[in-house]
Structure formats: structure tokens, C-alpha cells
């Protein structure tokens, strides 16, 4: 069994991006600029956004954090998005989710210019991805693809089971794993809360991607001997032994599953560190106008 070290891979890719940005700056090119919008003060969102801004600093990107009160109206927020769409210096825009209940996240996503949608959440980017056209791929699924590639994991012809059908992870993951690309060509099954015999379906997977958001749900009986296990889960669970008062748990019961599989991502330091790196990669692609001219 081999542990997939997401932190090490993320550090490696960060170095590559940092070197590229240095070269761009030396040549007088466009410094990538990421804008993050944060509405309200959800604790987890604060942490995620702070980490995104920190990564920008580390890699030589410009970043702008725009904070709004949770009482901002939907129309006011859409106007802010439109302003950023018009600003040629700003390459990428993310609006951190979740948003307050009175704001429709789909409306916000659809207002972001697809050329700046480095989260890959706009229907145009999702549609282009499904068609195999150049598109911004959302960060977590892209991070999973990069881990599989960097660990030379064979995917062609394998049965990939994805647990969870979220718009951000499960759904794009299934589209990506069936594509006719180096990491792809899988026979894919998507499962969800209504799936019958879930353990049996999962136990037929060569590659099992758990993205359901239920801590330690996937136990040894869900796993085939020799399978590749990708754990996308990241849930805060109360833990009085920790200084923070909580521990981060994945969707996979690591201690019991790890001995059965060929590769496994731990939590933390598995898929998590790859997510921000993918966002940075997309922002660089936008500054270089690779996906859209
Ligand atoms: N909330 C949780 N994950 C994400 C993400 O990847 N992007 C945005 N914008 N919000 C999130």
C-alpha cells in the first residue's frame, strides 16, 4: 500500500507555478491576479479564502479580497461581479460558497464571465468540460486527476466508482474519469444517497472516489483488495484533545481501509492541498489566455 502524499505533490506543482510566474515577470508579462469575494464570516470560508490569498502571495500572484456584509443584496453582489468582469487587470474571480440564503448561487456563478471563472463552476465551463473542449476544470477534481497522474496510476479500462453527486466534486469527477484522455477512459459509476447496495457497488471499484461528506463512512467492506482510494471528504469533527477543538476527518475509515488498498490519499494532506494549487493553475491559465483568447 502506498500513501499518496498530496502535500508533497502540491508543493512540487507550486514550485513549478512560482518559477513560471518569475519568468513571466522577468519578461514583463502579465502578473496573474485572483479576486476572491467573501460574503459574511462563515468560519470555514474565512480559512479557505485566507489560504487562497496566502498561496497567491507565495507564488507571486496579485490578489484582491473583497469582503461584503451578509446583508448585501443579490443585485448589489451581481453588480460587484459585473465590475470585476470589466476589469482587464483581474484574471480570475471566485465567489466563496456558501452564500447567505437570500442570494442564489447559480445566479452569481452565471454572472461571472466564463473567461474569469477559475473555479470552473459556470455552466459554460461545465458544458465545455463535458464536451472535451478547453475549459476551467473545478479545483478539487483537477487535483484528483493530477494526483493520479503524478503517481502513474493506470486508469484506462478501470471501474471508477464516485460516491456523491455534488456539482463541485462528484459530478465533474465522473465526467472527467470517462473522458478519452491520459487520466480517464474509466468505466464510471456515480452513486448517491438513493443508490441500492452501495457497499457492493463500491466493492467492485478499481478506483473509489469518496466525496459524500460523511466522516469515516467508507469502511473496509466497501473496498476491494488492491483498489485505489481517493478520499475527498473533509469534515470538522469535535475533538477536545485538539487545541482547535476539532479534528479533520475524511470520508474513509483510513486505519481499516489502508491495509486493503494499493494507493490511498490520507486526510489531511491528501486531496486538500491540491485544491488550492489547481485554483492557482487556472488563474495562471487565465492570465496567459490559454483556455479563452
Ligand atoms: N466552497 C467550498 N469549496 C469551494 C470552492 O472550491 N470554491 C468556492 N468558490 N467556494 C467553495
Amino acid at each position: 500500500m502506498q500513501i499518496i502524499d498530496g502535500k508533497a505533490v502540491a508543493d512540487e506543482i507550486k514550485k513549478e507555478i512560482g518559477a513560471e510566474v518569475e519568468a513571466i515577470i522577468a519578461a514583463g508579462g502579465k502578473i496573474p491576479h485572483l479576486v476572491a469575494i467573501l460574503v459574511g464570516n462563515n468560519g470555514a470560508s474565512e480559512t479557505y479564502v485566507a489560504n487562497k490569498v496566502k498561496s497567491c502571495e507565495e507564488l507571486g500572484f496579485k490578489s484582491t479580497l473583497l469582503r461584503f456584509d451578509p446583508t448585501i443584496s443579490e443585485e448589489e453582489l451581481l453588480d460587484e461581479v459585473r465590475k470585476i468582469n470589466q476589469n482587464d487587470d483581474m484574471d480570475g474571480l471566485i465567489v466563496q460558497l456558501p452564500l447567505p440564503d437570500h442570494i442564489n448561487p447559480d445566479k452569481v456563478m452565471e454572472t461571472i464571465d466564463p473567461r474569469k471563472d477559475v473555479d470552473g463552476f459556470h455552466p459554460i465551463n461545465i458544458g465545455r468540460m463535458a464536451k472535451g473542449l478547453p475549459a476551467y476544470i473545478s479545483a478539487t477534481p483537477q487535483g484528483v486527476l493530477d494526483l493520479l497522474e503524478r503517481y502513474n496510476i493506470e486508469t484506462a479500462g478501470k471501474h471508477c466508482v464516485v460516491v456523491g453527486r455534488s456539482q463541485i466534486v462528484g459530478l465533474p469527477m465522473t465526467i472527467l474519469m470517462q473522458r478519452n484522455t491520459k487520466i480517464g477512459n474509466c468505466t464510471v459509476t456515480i452513486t448517491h444517497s438513493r443508490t441500492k447496495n452501495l457497499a457492493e457497488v463500491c466493492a467492485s471499484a478499481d478506483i473509489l472516489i469518496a466525496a459524500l461528506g460523511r466522516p469515516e463512512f467508507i469502511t473496509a467492506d466497501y473496498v476491494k483488495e488492491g483498489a485505489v482510494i481517493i478520499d475527498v471528504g473533509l469534515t470538522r469533527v469535535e475533538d477536545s484533545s485538539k487545541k482547535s477543538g476539532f479534528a479533520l476527518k475524511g470520508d474513509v475509515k483510513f486505519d481499516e481501509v489502508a491495509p486493503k488498498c494499493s494507493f490511498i490519499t490520507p486526510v489531511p494532506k491528501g486531496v486538500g492541498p491540491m485544491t488550492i494549487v489547481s485554483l492557482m493553475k487556472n488563474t495562471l491559465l487565465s492570465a496567459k489566455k490559454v483556455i479563452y483568447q
Side-chain angles (χ1 to χ4, degrees):
M1 182 273 297
Q2 202 178 341
I3 292 183
I4 296 178
D5 188 341
K7 169 81 171 57
V9 175
D11 286 345
E12 203 175 287
I13 299 177
K14 271 188 184 174
K15 270 199 198 131
E16 293 166 11
I17 299 173
E20 193 170 345
V21 174
E22 265 180 36
I24 290 172
I25 294 171
K30 169 84 182 67
I31 299 174
H33 184 180
L34 177 68
V35 182
I37 290 185
L38 180 58
V39 181
N41 33 30
N42 173 299
S45 292
E46 292 270 0
T47 309
Y48 291 140
V49 170
N51 285 334
K52 289 169 187 177
V53 170
K54 186 167 148 250
S55 291
C56 284
E57 281 161 15
E58 284 169 5
L59 301 183
F61 286 28
K62 224 167 127 177
S63 68
T64 301
L65 171 57
L66 298 174
R67 306 184 69 115
F68 296 104
D69 201 82
T71 55
I72 187 171
S73 73
E74 184 178 89
E75 200 45 43
E76 282 169 326
L77 183 60
L78 296 180
D79 275 341
E80 294 294 339
V81 169
R82 291 183 191 111
K83 272 191 240 164
I84 295 160
N85 287 345
Q86 299 299 321
N87 186 326
D88 287 341
D89 184 57
M90 297 174 163
D91 302 300
L93 167 61
I94 58 163
V95 178
Q96 191 66 26
L97 303 174
L99 289 166
D101 289 345
H102 65 279
I103 300 176
N104 178 346
D106 287 325
K107 258 195 191 170
V108 177
M109 297 305 133
E110 288 180 34
T111 303
I112 297 175
D113 185 329
R115 292 170 295 189
K116 300 193 179 191
D117 168 41
V118 287
D119 257 331
F121 293 167
H122 193 290
I124 287 185
N125 279 314
I126 296 170
R128 288 175 66 100
M129 172 187 66
K131 282 178 68 76
L133 295 170
Y136 292 113
I137 310 283
S138 54
T140 302
Q142 180 62 53
V144 172
L145 297 186
D146 286 345
L147 287 178
L148 293 170
E149 179 165 10
R150 298 230 173 188
Y151 274 81
N152 292 313
I153 293 170
E154 180 63 50
T155 59
K158 299 289 167 71
H159 183 206
C160 174
V161 174
V162 179
V163 189
R165 57 182 157 187
S166 71
Q167 299 278 315
I168 295 182
V169 184
L171 180 71
M173 210 66 256
T174 59
I175 295 169
L176 293 164
M177 293 305 283
Q178 58 77 42
R179 293 199 307 186
N180 185 6
T181 45
K182 184 169 170 226
I183 299 297
N185 285 304
C186 285
T187 303
V188 180
T189 303
I190 185 159
T191 67
H192 44 75
S193 53
R194 298 289 185 92
T195 299
K196 293 205 169 77
N197 309 323
L198 182 61
E200 212 174 286
V201 177
C202 290
S204 72
D206 302 306
I207 301 170
L208 180 63
I209 303 178
L212 68 160
R214 291 179 63 177
E216 300 188 322
F217 182 89
I218 304 289
T219 48
D221 49 326
Y222 283 67
V223 174
K224 177 163 86 177
E225 205 65 52
V228 175
I229 308 294
I230 304 292
D231 188 351
V232 181
L234 193 65
T235 308
R236 287 180 176 197
V237 178
E238 270 183 41
D239 184 341
S240 54
S241 73
K242 302 264 188 233
K243 218 168 71 183
S244 60
F246 65 85
L248 291 172
K249 293 276 180 206
D251 287 346
V252 175
K253 203 159 181 151
F254 186 89
D255 292 348
E256 121 178 16
V257 168
K260 279 187 93 172
C261 53
S262 54
F263 291 90
I264 186 166
T265 60
V267 176
K269 297 189 177 166
V271 175
M274 294 298 293
T275 300
I276 290 192
V277 164
S278 305
L279 178 68
M280 297 297 132
K281 272 193 355 186
N282 279 347
T283 307
L284 179 59
L285 288 174
S286 179
K288 289 166 64 185
K289 301 203 184 308
V290 173
I291 307 285
Y292 298 96
Q293 275 67 48

